[in-house]
Coordinates of all heavy atoms in Angstrom, one line a residue:
Y1297 N 70.8 40.4 134.7 CA 72.0 39.8 135.3 C 72.0 40.1 136.8 O 72.4 39.3 137.7 CB 73.3 40.3 134.7 CG 74.4 39.4 134.9 CD1 74.5 38.2 134.1 CD2 75.4 39.6 135.8 CE1 75.5 37.3 134.3 CE2 76.5 38.7 136.0 CZ 76.5 37.5 135.2 OH 77.5 36.6 135.4
D1298 N 71.4 41.3 137.2 CA 71.3 41.7 138.6 C 70.5 40.7 139.4 O 70.7 40.4 140.6 CB 70.7 43.1 138.8 CG 71.6 44.2 138.2 OD1 72.7 43.8 137.8 OD2 71.1 45.3 138.1
Q1299 N 69.4 40.3 138.7 CA 68.5 39.3 139.4 C 69.2 38.0 139.7 O 69.1 37.4 140.7 CB 67.3 39.0 138.5 CG 66.3 40.1 138.5 CD 65.1 39.8 137.6 OE1 65.3 39.6 136.3 NE2 64.0 39.6 138.1
I1300 N 70.0 37.6 138.7 CA 70.8 36.3 138.9 C 71.8 36.4 140.0 O 72.0 35.5 140.8 CB 71.4 35.9 137.5 CG1 70.4 35.7 136.4 CG2 72.3 34.6 137.7 CD1 70.9 35.5 135.0
T1301 N 72.5 37.6 140.0 CA 73.5 37.9 141.1 C 72.8 37.8 142.4 O 73.4 37.3 143.4 CB 74.1 39.2 140.8 OG1 74.5 39.3 139.5 CG2 75.4 39.4 141.7
L1302 N 71.7 38.5 142.5 CA 70.9 38.5 143.8 C 70.5 37.1 144.2 O 70.7 36.7 145.4 CB 69.7 39.4 143.7 CG 68.9 39.6 145.0 CD1 69.7 40.5 146.0 CD2 67.5 40.1 144.7
L1303 N 70.0 36.3 143.3 CA 69.6 34.9 143.5 C 70.8 34.2 144.1 O 70.7 33.5 145.1 CB 69.2 34.2 142.2 CG 68.8 32.7 142.4 CD1 67.6 32.5 143.2 CD2 68.7 32.1 141.0
E1304 N 72.0 34.4 143.5 CA 73.2 33.7 144.0 C 73.5 34.1 145.5 O 73.8 33.3 146.3 CB 74.4 34.1 143.1 CG 75.6 33.1 143.2 CD 76.2 32.8 141.9 OE1 76.1 33.6 140.9 OE2 76.7 31.7 141.8
E1305 N 73.5 35.4 145.7 CA 73.8 35.9 147.1 C 72.8 35.4 148.1 O 73.2 35.0 149.2 CB 73.7 37.5 147.1 CG 74.9 38.2 146.4 CD 74.6 39.7 146.2 OE1 73.6 40.2 146.7 OE2 75.4 40.3 145.5
K1306 N 71.5 35.4 147.8 CA 70.5 34.9 148.7 C 70.6 33.4 148.9 O 70.4 32.9 150.1 CB 69.1 35.3 148.2 CG 68.8 36.8 148.1 CD 68.6 37.3 149.4 CE 68.1 38.8 149.3 NZ 67.9 39.3 150.7
L1307 N 70.9 32.6 147.9 CA 71.0 31.2 148.1 C 72.2 30.9 149.0 O 72.1 30.0 149.8 CB 71.1 30.5 146.7 CG 69.9 30.4 145.9 CD1 70.2 29.8 144.5 CD2 68.8 29.6 146.6
K1308 N 73.3 31.6 148.8 CA 74.5 31.4 149.6 C 74.1 31.7 151.1 O 74.6 31.0 152.0 CB 75.5 32.4 149.2 CG 77.0 32.0 149.5 CD 78.0 32.9 148.8 CE 78.2 32.5 147.3 NZ 79.2 33.4 146.7
Q1309 N 73.2 32.6 151.3 CA 72.8 33.0 152.7 C 71.8 32.0 153.3 O 71.9 31.6 154.4 CB 72.2 34.4 152.6 CG 72.2 35.1 153.9 CD 71.6 36.5 153.7 OE1 71.5 37.1 152.5 NE2 71.1 37.2 154.7
Y1310 N 70.8 31.6 152.5 CA 69.6 30.9 153.1 C 69.5 29.4 152.7 O 68.9 28.6 153.4 CB 68.3 31.5 152.7 CG 68.2 32.9 153.2 CD1 68.4 34.0 152.5 CD2 67.7 33.1 154.5 CE1 68.3 35.3 153.0 CE2 67.6 34.4 155.1 CZ 67.9 35.5 154.3 OH 67.7 36.7 154.8
C1311 N 70.2 29.0 151.6 CA 69.9 27.6 151.1 C 70.9 26.6 151.8 O 72.1 26.8 151.9 CB 70.2 27.6 149.6 SG 69.7 26.0 148.9
K1312 N 70.2 25.5 152.4 CA 71.0 24.5 153.1 C 71.3 23.3 152.3 O 71.9 22.3 152.8 CB 70.2 24.2 154.4 CG 70.0 25.4 155.3 CD 69.1 25.1 156.5 CE 68.7 26.3 157.3 NZ 67.7 27.2 156.6
V1313 N 70.8 23.2 151.1 CA 71.0 22.0 150.2 C 71.9 22.4 149.0 O 72.2 23.6 148.8 CB 69.7 21.4 149.7 CG1 68.8 21.0 150.9 CG2 68.9 22.5 148.9
A1314 N 72.3 21.4 148.2 CA 73.1 21.7 147.1 C 72.3 22.5 146.1 O 71.1 22.3 145.8 CB 73.5 20.3 146.4
Y1315 N 73.0 23.5 145.4 CA 72.3 24.3 144.4 C 73.4 24.7 143.4 O 74.6 24.6 143.7 CB 71.6 25.5 144.9 CG 72.5 26.5 145.5 CD1 73.1 27.5 144.8 CD2 72.8 26.5 146.9 CE1 74.0 28.4 145.3 CE2 73.7 27.4 147.5 CZ 74.3 28.4 146.6 OH 75.1 29.3 147.2
K1316 N 73.0 25.1 142.2 CA 73.9 25.5 141.2 C 73.2 26.5 140.3 O 72.0 26.4 140.1 CB 74.3 24.3 140.4 CG 75.4 24.5 139.3 CD 75.7 23.2 138.6 CE 76.6 23.4 137.4 NZ 76.9 22.1 136.8
I1317 N 74.0 27.6 139.9 CA 73.5 28.6 138.9 C 74.5 28.6 137.8 O 75.7 28.6 138.0 CB 73.4 29.9 139.6 CG1 72.4 29.9 140.7 CG2 73.0 31.0 138.6 CD1 72.4 31.2 141.6
K1318 N 73.9 28.5 136.6 CA 74.9 28.6 135.4 C 74.2 29.5 134.3 O 73.0 29.4 134.1 CB 75.2 27.2 134.9 CG 76.3 27.2 133.8 CD 76.8 25.8 133.6 CE 77.7 25.7 132.4 NZ 78.2 24.4 132.1
V1319 N 75.0 30.3 133.8 CA 74.6 31.3 132.7 C 75.3 30.9 131.4 O 76.5 30.8 131.4 CB 74.9 32.7 133.1 CG1 74.4 33.7 132.0 CG2 74.2 33.1 134.4
Y1320 N 74.5 30.7 130.3 CA 75.1 30.2 129.1 C 75.3 31.3 128.1 O 74.4 32.1 127.8 CB 74.2 29.1 128.5 CG 74.2 27.9 129.4 CD1 73.4 27.9 130.5 CD2 74.9 26.8 129.1 CE1 73.3 26.8 131.4 CE2 74.9 25.7 130.0 CZ 74.1 25.7 131.1 OH 74.2 24.6 132.0
P1321 N 76.5 31.5 127.6 CA 76.9 32.7 126.8 C 76.0 32.9 125.6 O 75.7 31.9 124.9 CB 78.3 32.4 126.4 CG 78.9 31.5 127.4 CD 77.7 30.6 127.8
G1322 N 75.6 34.1 125.4 CA 74.9 34.5 124.1 C 73.5 33.9 123.9 O 72.9 34.1 122.9
Q1323 N 73.0 33.3 125.0 CA 71.7 32.6 124.8 C 70.5 33.4 125.2 O 70.5 34.1 126.2 CB 71.7 31.2 125.5 CG 72.8 30.3 125.0 CD 72.7 30.1 123.5 OE1 71.7 29.6 122.9 NE2 73.8 30.5 122.8
V1324 N 69.4 33.3 124.4 CA 68.2 34.1 124.7 C 67.2 33.2 125.5 O 67.4 32.0 125.6 CB 67.5 34.6 123.4 CG1 68.5 35.6 122.7 CG2 67.1 33.5 122.5
H1325 N 66.1 33.8 125.9 CA 65.0 33.1 126.6 C 64.5 32.0 125.7 O 64.3 32.1 124.5 CB 63.9 34.1 126.9 CG 62.9 33.6 127.9 ND1 63.2 33.6 129.2 CD2 61.7 33.1 127.8 CE1 62.2 33.1 129.9 NE2 61.3 32.8 129.0
G1326 N 64.4 30.8 126.3 CA 63.8 29.7 125.6 C 64.8 28.8 124.9 O 64.4 27.9 124.2
F1327 N 66.1 29.1 125.0 CA 67.1 28.5 124.2 C 67.2 27.0 124.4 O 67.4 26.2 123.4 CB 68.5 29.1 124.4 CG 69.2 28.7 125.7 CD1 70.2 27.8 125.6 CD2 68.9 29.3 126.9 CE1 70.9 27.4 126.8 CE2 69.6 29.0 128.0 CZ 70.6 28.0 128.0
A1328 N 67.0 26.5 125.6 CA 67.3 25.1 125.8 C 66.2 24.1 125.4 O 66.4 22.9 125.4 CB 67.6 24.9 127.3
Q1329 N 65.1 24.6 124.9 CA 64.1 23.7 124.4 C 64.2 23.4 122.9 O 63.4 22.5 122.5 CB 62.7 24.4 124.6 CG 62.2 24.4 126.0 CD 61.5 25.7 126.3 OE1 62.1 26.7 126.7 NE2 60.2 25.7 126.2
L1330 N 65.0 24.1 122.2 CA 65.0 24.0 120.7 C 65.4 22.5 120.3 O 66.3 21.9 120.8 CB 66.0 25.0 120.1 CG 65.6 26.4 120.2 CD1 66.7 27.3 119.8 CD2 64.3 26.7 119.3
K1331 N 64.6 22.1 119.3 CA 65.0 20.8 118.6 C 66.2 21.0 117.7 O 66.4 22.1 117.2 CB 63.7 20.3 117.8 CG 62.5 20.1 118.7 CD 61.4 19.4 118.0 CE 60.8 20.2 116.8 NZ 60.3 21.5 117.1
P1332 N 67.0 19.9 117.5 CA 68.2 20.1 116.7 C 68.0 20.8 115.4 O 68.9 21.7 115.1 CB 68.6 18.6 116.4 CG 68.1 17.9 117.6 CD 66.8 18.5 117.9
E1333 N 67.0 20.6 114.7 CA 66.8 21.2 113.4 C 66.4 22.7 113.5 O 66.5 23.4 112.5 CB 65.8 20.5 112.5 CG 64.4 20.3 113.1 CD 64.3 19.0 113.9 OE1 65.3 18.6 114.6 OE2 63.2 18.4 114.0
D1334 N 66.1 23.1 114.7 CA 65.7 24.5 114.9 C 66.8 25.4 115.6 O 66.7 26.5 115.8 CB 64.5 24.6 115.8 CG 63.3 24.0 115.1 OD1 63.1 24.1 113.9 OD2 62.4 23.4 115.8
M1335 N 68.0 24.7 115.8 CA 69.1 25.4 116.4 C 70.0 26.1 115.4 O 70.2 25.6 114.3 CB 70.0 24.3 117.1 CG 69.4 23.6 118.3 SD 70.6 22.4 118.9 CE 69.6 21.4 120.0
K1336 N 70.4 27.3 115.8 CA 71.4 28.0 115.0 C 72.8 27.4 115.3 O 73.1 27.1 116.5 CB 71.4 29.5 115.2 CG 70.1 30.1 114.9 CD 70.2 31.7 114.9 CE 69.0 32.4 114.5 NZ 68.0 32.6 115.6
P1337 N 73.7 27.2 114.3 CA 75.0 26.6 114.6 C 75.8 27.2 115.7 O 76.4 26.5 116.5 CB 75.7 26.8 113.2 CG 74.6 26.9 112.2 CD 73.5 27.6 112.9
D1338 N 75.7 28.6 115.9 CA 76.5 29.2 116.9 C 75.9 28.9 118.3 O 76.7 28.9 119.3 CB 76.4 30.7 116.8 CG 77.3 31.2 115.6 OD1 78.0 30.3 115.0 OD2 77.2 32.4 115.3
D1339 N 74.6 28.6 118.4 CA 74.0 28.3 119.7 C 74.0 26.9 120.1 O 74.0 26.5 121.2 CB 72.5 28.8 119.6 CG 72.3 30.2 119.4 OD1 73.2 31.0 119.9 OD2 71.4 30.7 118.7
K1340 N 74.2 26.0 119.1 CA 74.1 24.5 119.3 C 74.9 24.0 120.4 O 74.4 23.3 121.3 CB 74.4 23.8 118.0 CG 74.0 22.4 118.0 CD 74.2 21.8 116.6 CE 73.6 20.4 116.5 NZ 74.5 19.3 116.3
P1341 N 76.2 24.4 120.5 CA 77.0 23.9 121.6 C 76.5 24.3 123.0 O 76.6 23.4 123.9 CB 78.4 24.5 121.4 CG 78.4 25.1 120.0 CD 77.0 25.3 119.6
Y1342 N 76.0 25.5 123.1 CA 75.5 25.9 124.4 C 74.2 25.2 124.8 O 73.9 24.9 125.9 CB 75.3 27.4 124.4 CG 76.6 28.1 124.2 CD1 76.8 28.9 123.0 CD2 77.6 28.1 125.2 CE1 78.0 29.5 122.8 CE2 78.8 28.8 125.0 CZ 79.0 29.5 123.8 OH 80.2 30.1 123.6
I1343 N 73.3 25.0 123.8 CA 72.1 24.3 124.0 C 72.4 22.9 124.4 O 71.8 22.4 125.4 CB 71.2 24.3 122.7 CG1 70.8 25.7 122.3 CG2 69.9 23.4 122.9 CD1 70.2 25.9 120.9

């Protein structure tokens, strides 16, 4: 989480174009690639 916070701080400082950072609750690495049949019901809404 510290890395993400730092990214946010640095982008605020140096980035001159539109950017966005979003953290999805309870999700592990690789979560957004899962096919529907491989999703757990609790994770599905976030994916």
Side-chain angles (χ1 to χ4, degrees):
Y1297 206 74
D1298 295 351
Q1299 284 178 296
I1300 299 170
T1301 312
L1302 184 73
L1303 176 68
E1304 196 140 30
E1305 283 168 11
K1306 294 283 190 182
L1307 286 174
K1308 208 169 276 181
Q1309 201 177 341
Y1310 295 99
C1311 188
K1312 299 172 189 73
V1313 297
Y1315 66 86
K1316 183 177 171 181
I1317 296 172
K1318 189 164 169 181
V1319 181
Y1320 296 78
Q1323 298 310 296
V1324 298
H1325 195 77
F1327 78 99
Q1329 284 143 275
L1330 291 170
K1331 302 191 295 301
E1333 56 273 32
D1334 297 325
M1335 295 175 191
K1336 295 191 178 89
D1338 289 354
D1339 297 327
K1340 195 172 189 244
Y1342 298 111
I1343 296 168

